[in-house]
Amino acid sequence: DVKVTQSSRYLVKRTGEKVFLECVQDMDHENMFWYRQDPGLGLRLIYFSYDVKMKEKGDIPEGYSVSREKKERFSLILESASTNQTSMYLCASSSGGPTYNEQFFGPGTRLTVL
Amino acid sequence: DAKTTQPPSMDCAEGRAANLPCNHSTISGNEYVYWYRQIHSQGPQYIIHGLKNNETNEMASLIITEDRKSSTLILPHATLRDTAVYYCIVRPSNNAGNMLTFGGGTRLMVKP
């Protein structure tokens, strides 16, 4: 089975802190994604990566950056956390290719910024 | 990607079929219909997808109308573990990056 793991299920940080959210997948997938999920807004794409060292902005990239130094790992970085970044963060991965492939999601990290 | 409209919530009795509707009246010819669900405290899970023919797998059936403007996800014998938010998404199959746009979904409550 595909496994996508995220470094923490729950995280509490203070305003202004630098925050790293880590995601690891074990199926050699080319594509990896970071979403945030907020009540009433569904899932919104922050960034995605289709290869090592490659990244593309999603719908809401402001205030975030990403890093993909190895194929299996995709990190989301909040350079200076703010209270409006309190949310559930979901990582996903999928295999590459010209057609759509099912995305496999991790369990999520619930981040609270005080 | 085309926009979808789903009812915000539905109830279903355990053991009965759950029929979840989705409207996608602006769907274009190269867009597929995908369904995911999200059980509480878990990440979303892929269920099924289709273009114009009805599809069935071990989890569910997908019925797409002939004009493709709406579809229905059917869970034939709902169990308590099927309680979740169900998302209907339309997108081209060849969209670079495999991005998904999730809306609000339908919260299905399966009751004993």
Side-chain angles (χ1 to χ4, degrees), chain A residues 14-109:
Chain A
R14 297 203 175 276
T15 301
E17 280 193 79
K18 190 169 186 176
V19 182
F20 292 87
L21 302 182
E22 304 286 343
C23 175
V24 178
Q25 50 92 7
D26 65 0
M27 283 301 290
D28 202 35
H29 281 168
E30 288 79 10
N31 299 324
M32 296 189 75
F33 309 83
W34 275 106
Y35 296 87
R36 65 176 281 179
Q37 184 173 29
D38 302 286
L41 296 177
L43 272 75
R44 293 179 292 167
L45 181 66
I46 305 171
Y47 268 98
F48 70 98
S49 168
Y50 53 88
D51 201 352
V52 175
K53 296 191 185 295
M54 306 301 289
K55 61 185 179 184
E56 294 287 340
K57 293 180 179 179
D59 299 320
I60 50 164
E62 295 78 20
Y64 303 94
S65 62
V66 290
S67 172
R68 191 157 181 213
E69 296 297 317
K70 293 185 178 182
K71 191 175 186 180
E72 67 271 19
R73 187 179 299 269
F74 192 35
S75 303
L76 181 69
I77 303 155
L78 288 67
E79 294 289 343
S80 177
S82 63
T83 54
N84 63 12
Q85 292 178 310
T86 291
S87 187
M88 169 69 85
Y89 290 88
L90 288 155
C91 175
S93 72
S94 71
S95 53
T99 59
Y100 175 79
N101 292 293
E102 143 185 22
Q103 291 189 19
F104 295 86
F105 284 81
T109 295

Side-chain angles (χ1 to χ4, degrees), chain A residues 100, chain B residues 32-36 46 48-49 87-93:
Chain A
Y100 175 79
Chain B
Y32 283 66
V33 181
Y34 296 85
W35 284 83
Y36 279 72
Y46 167 83
I48 199 167
H49 76 280
Y87 297 98
C88 169
I89 302 156
V90 294
R91 49 156 288 134
S93 68

